[in-house]
Amino acid sequence: MSRETNMKQTASPATEPKNRHWTTLGELHGDEAALAVKNSEFYSKPEEFFNQEQATKFSVTGDPTLISEAAGFMELKVKQNGGESGGMSRRDFLKISGSGDGLCNGRLRLASGAKDYPLHQSA
Amino acid sequence: MRPAQKIIPYINQPEEIMLGVPNYYASAAGGSQGNGVLIKTREGRPIKLEGNPQHPLSKGKLDARGQYEIFNLYDPDRLTGPLKMVGGQPSVLSWGTADTEIAEKLKAARGRIAVLTGTVHGPARNKVIADFCQSFEAFHYSYDGWTHHAARKAQEMSYGGTSLPSYHFDKAEYILCLEADPLGTGYSSLEWMAGFGQNRHVKNNKMSKLVSADCGTTVTASNADERFRMKPGMSVQFGLAIADALQGRGAPGKHFIPRVSPFESEAGLKPGSIDRIATELWAARGKSIVMGGDTLDHQLVACLLNEMLGNEGVTVDGNGAPSNQAYGSVVGMQDLMNRLNNGQIDVVITFGTNPAYSLPESAGVAAAFGKASTVIHLGDRADETGRLAMYLLPGQHWLESWGDAEPQVGLYSVIQPSVMPLWDSRAAEESLIKFAQVAGVSGLGTFVGGWHEYVMETWRTNVYKSDVFAADFTSFWNSALRDGFVDLRVAPTPRTYLSPDLANLSTLRNSGGDLQLVVVPSPHVTEDGNANNAWLLELPHPVGRVSWTNYANLAPKTASKLGLRDGDYIKVTANGATIEVPVHVQPGDVEDVVTIETGWGRKHVGRVGDNVGGNAFALCAIENGMLRTMGDPVSIEKTGRWEELPDVQGHNYTEGRPIVAEAAFEEYLKNPEAGKWHEHELVSLWPEHEYKGNKWGMVIDQTACIGCNACMAACSVENNIPVVGVGQIRLGREMHWIRIDRYYSGDEHEPEFTYQPMLCQHCDNAPCETVCPVVATVHSEEGLNMQIYNRCVGTRYCSNNCPYKVRRFNWHEYTFAAYEPHPLQLVLNPEVTVREKGIMEKCTFCQQRIREGKEKAKEMNRPITDADFKTACQQTCPTDAISFGNTNNPDSQVSQMKKDPRAYNVIAEVNTRPAVTYFTKLRNRPTRDTDPYLGGHDAGVGEMQPKEGGHH
């Protein structure tokens, strides 16, 4: 059996005529602060956790335990430079780039029928 | 780089231990519920508790508290050796010295000794206390924070005995709760959840119905098919009105039922509500249960209704195998304090109870204990009561010691140790025997042997009956140890109803004030050591979804009137005491009621639990030998302090996509697909996965799920889920691999609740897999979405792209260093990797269990089946809401369930093709169309039309 054939592949309208299901009163009432939290994918504030010192240490020592600090620092810099608030959110960016990738990839895969394999053995 | 760690094998390997292969031991949980458990041990240390599938109460299930009990064993804040308070300072002493000193004091105080315990059941545990009391002419008192004394008193008035009944929820098609919370905080809540769950799966177009009349949103109230909100105490009149209506339907016996009409208009109910509920109850007579809350009035009305409905002796068992699960008494406690204050008691021995915390300060526990010349504490920690003691002699966790249990009359369990004591401790019962032996008193003092021998001897004389059991005692004992229990219960017979005078019911205090106080037990945190259980404190409240604190629940209107919002700290004053807690605005609560849970606000329980939340026991008063928890006037004062509540609900960004499907049962009967979202055919750009062997899948029945959190707890223990603390929770960084999303529908004053367990959906078209730049998340050939920890570099793209928000990132180091101090590391499951900082993790469908199941099948040279393993969440779910198995096997349970017309996928329109399927939430109530009495809600989801412009 190739996959679950008993499930209809379905889609649903992604809009609700009313705020039928809600999780907090702020959401029910459309409270701006609550919605800001609700609609924020990234609770984290990079500046709370990441600093240049750690990023530099990673670049110098290559200590893998510091990689997330370095990544966070990069994210912080992008944000500070208006990356996220300057027009396009990371989600929107990923939607566009993901769609593009998906279309290209899907077409290529359909054409070739080749499979991707993850790296099996590292040096 | 981490240093390599050495693995050292056994030099002399014990015969029963094979490295890497767990051993299971049957036992009984040491708490008052006495549920049968299986203890999973690895290399001699317990790592997981599960329900004993054979045990008639737990039926293989365990609740959140039971799952997290393992943490209490390894709690580093337990006492590590005997202490004696000298000049206000603890000093170490040996057990021998302690025994000698205490034996002398006991001999001198003969006749002036009290043993104070919590609820104790089990033939040996009861007998050793009785023998000790006989040897020293001592008095035995039992006291629990929640004594259920009202229920026992009502039983006495209605039937002449003080036994608490056992309730058979598995036989109940209709359950009416009058301010009762059997599913959240009942004295046998796990048994009742399991029984309730059996009738929540639609079979032959039937399901049970739960109706609740209450003032607060408890676990039970939030799961009610129909809920009637009313002021505290009015549910007594609600019950009486139903009794009145039942009498008109020919219920047996002539009962004087006080007139409560026109109750409906007074309570704000729609006309005809009472009549309809009475009609439904009458139709379910003999197959229903009425449960009352924690007041005498509620309990008396519940007894009356059960009697009228013929439930007595069928679903209510008061004489066959009644419950032993709650014996505490405020009256007894008052008697003890009177004796102490009158100088009649010199020595007090305590264990298993904590009155210094769970009685209001006005009760004067500390002062009364101060009158005793010697207080000996045999508990596991220096808690509030322990700190009143001169001798602190550490007791053992029930996983370390022998013991027994008899939660229902005739249902016996042996508690057997599964690990050597972690500290220099001794079972409290062992101490009683030792004291008697050293004192050389007659009776218990002449017993040769220790507590283990005592348990065996008691079972030989009190449980084993050679005319009943064919085997000799040794075989019988070994069988009891192996199975975990012996069931000698007998069937109930209807008792004679004594028609107590109900003329003076509804006497609940009318506060006359603006606000009324309601104090309720917490479904998680109790007054013992589990208040220091970090896992348990981090577990969000089932209804409020707030962790790490208790709070004052206020209805939205009340909060608005008082100018309060979530997180505002208030001083709550009642009965002369004041506590400070944050406000939580709870939709569905009744206006002008302040509801606070107990179990929190501990002063001395340990590093984790001290000073977390407020102690609501302090606000109660004692009246007629009972703790008065409902209806007292209360005042609140805003302190000006605000802190964001650690509320996990609302963290998850789902772009407003449709997630919950729900329908009225009546709609379902007409259209089995009622409530589901409109469906379209989807086209995928991705090639299909080929699953030539197994394909794992899960089905979650939202109608059966009651949101109890047991799955979350089981998952945490099984998969080494770290505790992140209150600050990280506020940042949305909880680490639970499975969470319960609680959704409201309807308006804020009278919402309905839906609980939706949400975990990794193991999508076929997994959005997380496509965005990982290092291929750390990949698809297995069995449909599992796998996370490869040592490939992950922590970009969090996968989490970003997951529409279900089920991926968890290790923002901090939660590896071994986080499990300091010793022995916390022992709680880790060696079968699951402990993840490092900077990497992503998520549900694995308990892959380690799948592998174990495969190995089992391989040994037997057959394909793996559903019976070979269960995921941790599935295994523990008290209501059997979770099913798991191989969807490539057409005969498997999940394959069959996925064909059910109620089956749907969450956020199906993004075409992730999840392996997890949900069943539409059904509420066993009429639709709005057919029942004009239902109000406050809009039409069901199934009746909705998509808004114009909605995208597809």
Side-chain angles (χ1 to χ4, degrees), chain B residues 163 166 320-324 327 406-412 488-490:
Chain B
S163 294
S166 301
S323 169
N324 285 332
Y327 266 115
E406 189 187 0
Q408 291 178 355
V409 174
L411 179 60
Y412 302 99
L488 299 175
R489 293 178 298 171
V490 297

Side-chain angles (χ1 to χ4, degrees), chain A residues 1-3 9-12 14 20-23 25 29 41-44 49 69 75 91 94-95, chain B residues 653 655 662 678-680 682 688-689 691 731 733 742 744 746 748 764 796 800 837 908 913 939:
Chain A
M1 191 179 290
S2 64
R3 58 180 306 128
Q9 302 310 317
T10 60
S12 311
R20 275 291 308 174
H21 292 102
W22 43 282
T23 56
L25 284 166
H29 297 307
E41 287 202 79
F42 306 105
Y43 265 42
S44 54
F49 298 95
E69 273 83 354
E75 184 181 327
R91 166 162 280 270
L94 281 172
K95 276 180 186 171
Chain B
Y653 173 66
E655 291 201 297
E662 60 172 308
H678 186 58
E679 299 172 344
H680 293 280
L682 291 170
E688 304 240 330
H689 290 284
Y691 299 118
L731 289 169
R733 293 178 181 169
R742 182 263 294 119
Y744 300 115
E748 66 188 45
D764 273 359
R796 294 183 286 134
N800 186 32
K837 180 179 179 179
R913 300 191 178 180

Side-chain angles (χ1 to χ4, degrees), chain B residues 241-253:
Chain B
I242 287 177
D244 198 21
L246 285 175
Q247 210 155 37
R249 283 168 173 75

Side-chain angles (χ1 to χ4, degrees), chain B residues 3 43 96 118 129 151 241 255 446 462 536 573 583 614 639 716 727 773 824 850 853 866 906 951-952:
Chain B
E43 288 82 52
I129 293 170
H255 306 288
T446 62
N462 291 19
L536 199 58
T573 304
V583 165
T639 64
S716 299
L824 267 182
I850 296 176
D866 287 359
V906 170
H951 65 270
H952 291 241

Side-chain angles (χ1 to χ4, degrees), chain B residues 676-695:
Chain B
K676 287 168 71 172
W677 291 82
H678 186 58
E679 299 172 344
H680 293 280
E681 290 297 321
L682 291 170
V683 178
S684 176
L685 290 170
W686 301 101
E688 304 240 330
H689 290 284
E690 289 287 335
Y691 299 118
K692 292 175 182 166
N694 305 311
K695 164 74 170 84

